[in-house]
Structure formats: C-alpha cells, structure tokens
Amino acid sequence: EDQVTQSPEALRLQEGESSSLNCSYTVSGLRGLFWYRQDPGKGPEFLFTLYSAGEEKEKERLKATLTKKESFLHITAPKPEDSATYLCAVQADGGYQKVTFGTGTKLQVIP
Amino acid sequence: NAGVTQTPKFQVLKTGQSMTLQCAQDMNHEYMSWYRQDPGMGLRLIHYSVGAGITDQGEVPNGYNVSRSTTEDFPLRLLSAAPSQTSVYFCASSRRRLAGVKEQFFGPGTRLTVL
C-alpha cells in the first residue's frame, strides 16, 4: 500500500528563519511527487511536480527536492504570507487514480 | 478562466436527505475527481472520470454517485446522507499528459455537515 508521511505536523517560524518540511513516501513505482499549498478555507494550490531522484524545482522562496525515499520543501527567509498548510502527494504506477496524499504540515510564519 | 468552481460553499443536511454537489471547470481538462478532506487524514479519492461518459470508483465511493455527461461538469450525488459524510469536499481537474502524471487544479471546496 502506498504511504505518504509528512513531518512535522506543525511548524512555527520567525520571519526570515529558514527551514525544511519533510515528505517520506513508500510507493510501488513513483510516477511523480507533488507539492501543494492550502490556505484555510480554500482548495489546494499546485506548487511543484518532481519526477525522479535528484530533481529540484524552485519558486520564489520555495525549493523542492526529491530522493528515492523522501522529498523536502525548503523555505528560505519565509514571510508571513507563506503561512499555509503544505501538502505532499505521490502518484504511483497503475493509473490515474493512484495518487496518495499526506496529511500536511501547517506552517505559521510570525512577523 | 474561472478554473474549477464548486457550489454550494456550505451545506447542512439531515440524515437521509439527498443532494448534489456541483463542480465545473473551464480549462477543457479531461480528468476530473472528487475528494473528501477530514481532520488528520489526507485527501481521499471518492470518484473520478477520465473523460465524458467515463467514471470509476476511488478509495471511498460508498454512498456517492457521479456522472459526467460533458467535459465541463462533474456533479457528486449523496444518495442518503449520513453523519459520517460530514466533511469538506473538493473537486479537481487535470490535463491528460503522455507521462500520465497529473498536476491537479482544485476548486474552493464545499463544507458539508450532516446532522
């Protein structure tokens, strides 16, 4: 069974204090790993797709990396507007429906 | 583009009532899905569609029906609401890619309470 575990569950940072969120996964044949951002009361918003170990992608203060067992979302010099829940998901071989989501990391950035 | 739209935003039902959650997308995406999100659990797939006229069950399909008569619309029907169906429901769409990997675009959600 495919599994996605995100840690920590919650993270509180001071503005400008860089940190990383972790997404560990076990999957039978990884097709892609996704990162989403979810603001309170809203739907998830797509951030990145990573396809293979060693791949990295960046967007503003966010950088996502991928190994064979986990992915990291690095947040550099975060701002209060980066406060949100970050979701990780993996898509496995076996068809369109084979996407498993983690429970997310709730990030709070304090001014 | 409006993206993915969902109505209603909030709904309260009594046990045994039925209702339809509406979902529409204007991006001409082939794939559409319904998820539910509950505290402490990841998004769970209810039903999905790979194109008009084609639907299939996801991880938690019991108590729900779907149909897809057009590319744009993918309604979710609750047949006889139960308190266990209290949740936030998200509709998502994605484009079909050769690699089969899909970045999904989500609607704003419907918060459903069943009393």
Side-chain angles (χ1 to χ4, degrees), chain B residues 45-108:
Chain B
L45 183 65
I46 305 171
H47 285 285
Y48 65 99
S49 169
V50 298
I54 306 170
T55 64
D56 207 344
Q57 296 181 351
E59 180 186 356
V60 288
N62 292 343
Y64 308 95
N65 265 356
V66 291
S67 60
R68 186 137 178 236
S69 56
T70 67
T71 299
E72 295 77 20
D73 300 301
F74 191 43
L76 177 72
R77 297 182 188 84
L78 277 70
L79 308 173
S80 177
S84 60
Q85 293 179 305
T86 294
S87 187
V88 182
Y89 291 85
F90 290 102
C91 179
S93 72
S94 60
R95 186 175 303 283
R96 181 177 183 175
R97 296 187 183 276
L98 289 176
V101 175
K102 56 176 176 49
E103 303 92 0
Q104 298 187 79
F105 296 84
F106 286 82

Side-chain angles (χ1 to χ4, degrees), chain A residues 14-30:
Chain A
Q14 290 292 130
E15 185 173 0
E17 180 187 2
S18 301
S19 187
S20 295
L21 313 183
N22 178 264
C23 171
S24 298
Y25 64 91
T26 55
V27 63
S28 53
L30 180 70

Side-chain angles (χ1 to χ4, degrees), chain B residues 2-21:
Chain B
V4 180
T5 58
Q6 292 183 238
T7 57
K9 194 164 179 61
F10 300 96
Q11 183 70 49
V12 179
L13 292 178
K14 294 182 179 179
T15 296
Q17 287 184 315
S18 63
M19 78 159 295
T20 299
L21 307 185

